[in-house]
Amino acid sequence: MAKEKLIVIKEADLTNNCPECFNQDLKLSFYQKHTYGRFFHKTTNEVSNQIVCRKCSSMIYPVAWTDDIERMFNYYQKTVVPEKKSSKPTFLFYILIIIVLIIIAIGVYFSLGGTIQI
């Protein structure tokens, strides 16, 4: 089963007022989704975000955004540069390939009538 993990690619402190407690200590975070499987590590194009007030610890959803928060969000969204979509094999994948190649080499050796002399 592949594990999914959100990796932080950019964080920014916002000085806009929180819609809940009116404090000026907000944190904007952008995340990129990575999946970790037994044989491959994949980086996806999927980027998500979240705005949290540090004082009241509430998440601020887009419905509650003020014009100032939306303006700051749009600015920081343009500066986010996610990693390229990629897929990298893991160490287990390489071990499996080596084992398969060894088994094929042994099968070819014995099918050609090879004998082992001691």
Side-chain angles (χ1 to χ4, degrees):
M1 185 88 202
K3 296 179 185 176
E4 295 180 355
K5 188 174 181 182
L6 295 175
I7 306 292
V8 176
I9 54 175
K10 183 159 186 125
E11 288 185 332
D13 296 328
L14 303 179
T15 56
N16 300 57
N17 290 335
C18 172
E20 302 290 326
C21 66
F22 304 106
N23 189 25
Q24 292 184 345
D25 195 13
L26 301 177
K27 181 179 173 185
L28 170 63
S29 302
F30 290 94
Y31 302 97
Q32 186 170 17
K33 183 176 167 184
H34 291 244
T35 57
Y36 297 92
R38 290 185 181 165
F39 301 111
F40 288 98
H41 166 108
K42 295 181 182 180
T43 303
T44 64
N45 284 336
E46 189 175 322
V47 176
S48 60
N49 59 65
Q50 115 183 19
I51 298 178
V52 177
C53 177
R54 290 185 178 163
K55 183 174 182 183
C56 65
S57 300
S58 63
M59 283 191 54
I60 301 166
Y61 297 100
V63 175
W65 289 359
T66 62
D67 291 336
D68 294 334
I69 293 174
E70 189 166 354
R71 206 173 303 121
M72 293 300 289
F73 172 78
N74 289 335
Y75 170 76
Y76 282 109
Q77 188 177 26
K78 292 176 185 175
T79 64
V80 171
V81 179
E83 293 180 27
K84 290 183 178 179
K85 183 178 177 182
S86 65
S87 180
K88 299 176 186 174
T90 62
F91 183 70
L92 183 61
F93 176 78
Y94 290 119
I95 296 296
L96 185 66
I97 292 296
I98 290 172
I99 290 172
V100 168
L101 290 175
I102 290 171
I103 291 172
I104 290 172
I106 291 172
V108 168
Y109 178 75
F110 284 117
S111 68
L112 294 176
T115 59
I116 300 176
Q117 296 178 357
I118 299 177

